[in-house]
Amino acid sequence: MPGLLEGKIALVTGAGHGIGRGHAVELAKHGATVIVNDLGSSVNGEGSGRDADVVVEIIRSRGGTASADYGDVSDEVQANSMVQQAIDNYGRLDIVVNNAGIVRDRAIWNMSADDFDIVMKVHVRGTWLICRAAAQHWRERSKAGERNVGGRIINTTSGAGLLGNFGQTNYATAKAAIVGLTQTLNLELSKLGVTANVIGPGGITRISGTMRPEAVREPDEIPEDEFDKYDPSLCSPVVAWLCSDEAAYVSGQVIRAMGEHIHLMSGWTEEVTVSNGGQRWDAEKLGDLFAVDVFKTKAPGLRMPG
């Protein structure tokens, strides 16, 4: 029986460890050929540069097909090369899963501009560069007469990007930006038959598990019959399904897969509307209007005056 992703060609960035590793192994399990991208650097910036090879060998040992890429997603030439590698080696690219990312956590008064810039560069620029290269490939296929390209983009957000998190003004900003990017990709690429969605994963990885290093395990180290709520690959089956032909109708969505739960997130909506009857607002009168609890606070300790 053919796999859910049989014959698909996939690129997974940041796939040397943790969540991305889980995605790569899961996609291969369902029949996809996977390009495993990872710089191979550890949390402290050191590494062999070949962590992707380990994941490739895991996939191959399980009967799958995979190749490694060691490029930097935030570098334009290297990002383009990742997509071109798929085209040169396999004839096309069908799936992009953007997972590569870093953190540089500090409260804003201690955060340097460099800490902000590097996080934005990897998460936002890197995701955008890979999506652009893939989009150009899919548009060329469409212009050549392919009626339904069937491309899939899965980008990655987090709770910090959706709700904020102390000490992560850089990371939260980047992860929120990725949501806006993906929703716009949905509008631009849907006519090509390409879907774009956002996954919000859970679990503990080398980066997020610095406070609980004993809980960090790679997805392939966890027995299949064991449910570990800290398993970083628990969202990977959702990613695999979103990449399939079955999910051709799902696009522009933000989906959090946390433990045993899947949450479809609702974006910004008009929760409360007040009107001034076609007149200009008077700032001195707004206080009385908002005193009926139109505006609320999300900051503990802040209260309405009076």
Side-chain angles (χ1 to χ4, degrees):
M1 181 178 178
L4 190 67
L5 302 174
E6 196 70 36
K8 304 289 187 182
I9 311 301
L11 166 64
V12 183
T13 70
H17 291 275
I19 294 167
R21 183 166 174 165
H23 293 342
V25 172
E26 183 74 19
L27 296 185
K29 171 184 173 181
H30 294 284
T33 294
V34 183
I35 299 168
V36 180
N37 161 261
D38 199 272
L39 278 173
S41 297
S42 63
V43 176
N44 62 9
E46 300 173 355
S48 67
R50 293 297 181 266
D51 292 336
D53 291 338
V54 175
V55 182
V56 168
E57 287 308 310
I58 291 170
I59 291 172
R60 290 176 177 172
S61 71
R62 298 179 180 185
T65 304
S67 60
D69 178 272
Y70 319 114
D72 178 353
V73 296
S74 69
D75 180 276
E76 183 175 10
V77 173
Q78 295 179 55
N80 290 339
S81 177
M82 291 179 213
V83 173
Q84 193 60 47
Q85 178 189 155
I87 299 168
D88 291 344
N89 294 344
Y90 306 112
R92 69 184 192 283
L93 179 65
D94 302 301
I95 296 166
V96 166
V97 181
N98 282 302
N99 174 75
I102 60 172
V103 292
R104 295 290 187 272
D105 294 351
R106 288 179 178 83
I108 191 167
W109 48 83
N110 290 325
M111 185 176 291
S112 69
D114 286 343
D115 285 337
F116 184 87
D117 289 344
I118 188 62
V119 169
M120 293 293 289
K121 182 180 179 182
V122 174
H123 287 274
V124 182
R125 176 182 166 90
T127 297
W128 182 84
L129 283 172
I130 297 294
C131 288
R132 183 185 65 168
Q136 290 170 340
H137 165 61
W138 291 326
R139 187 166 186 265
E140 289 174 3
R141 284 167 52 183
S142 178
K143 290 170 67 176
E146 194 168 342
R147 295 186 62 183
N148 184 13
V149 174
R152 299 285 184 268
I153 293 175
I154 311 295
N155 292 330
T156 308
T157 190
S158 73
L162 300 174
L163 302 171
N165 195 36
F166 188 95
Q168 292 191 315
T169 52
N170 49 7
Y171 180 77
T173 301
K175 287 306 189 184
I178 286 172
V179 173
L181 165 64
T182 309
Q183 291 174 330
T184 302
L185 289 171
N186 164 58
L187 299 176
E188 293 184 347
L189 300 179
S190 60
K191 64 182 179 181
L192 305 180
V194 174
T195 67
N197 292 290
V198 184
I199 191 75
I204 293 181
T205 66
R206 294 181 308 159
I207 293 177
S208 65
T210 53
M211 299 299 291
R212 294 195 58 190
E214 75 283 355
V216 178
R217 290 196 289 176
E218 295 293 351
D220 45 276
E221 297 172 350
I222 301 172
E224 288 191 4
D225 60 352
E226 175 186 339
F227 181 81
D228 179 355
K229 65 181 180 180
Y230 300 119
D231 181 354
S233 73
L234 288 178
C235 66
S236 296
V238 181
V239 170
W241 183 80
L242 287 171
C243 291
S244 74
D245 291 340
E246 290 183 5
Y249 66 95
V250 182
S251 193
Q253 303 300 321
V254 179
I255 300 167
R256 297 196 77 187
M258 311 290 291
E260 71 272 33
H261 302 295
I262 297 173
H263 310 278
L264 176 62
M265 305 300 290
S266 177
W268 293 108
T269 59
E270 297 172 348
E271 181 177 354
V272 177
T273 301
V274 293
S275 176
N276 200 29
Q279 302 297 313
R280 180 181 175 85
W281 293 107
D282 183 342
E284 294 183 352
K285 297 180 180 179
L286 288 178
D288 291 336
L289 176 65
F290 296 146
V292 299
D293 203 27
V294 171
F295 287 163
K296 303 174 183 177
T297 182
K298 289 188 176 181
L302 293 183
R303 297 290 183 268
M304 186 180 296

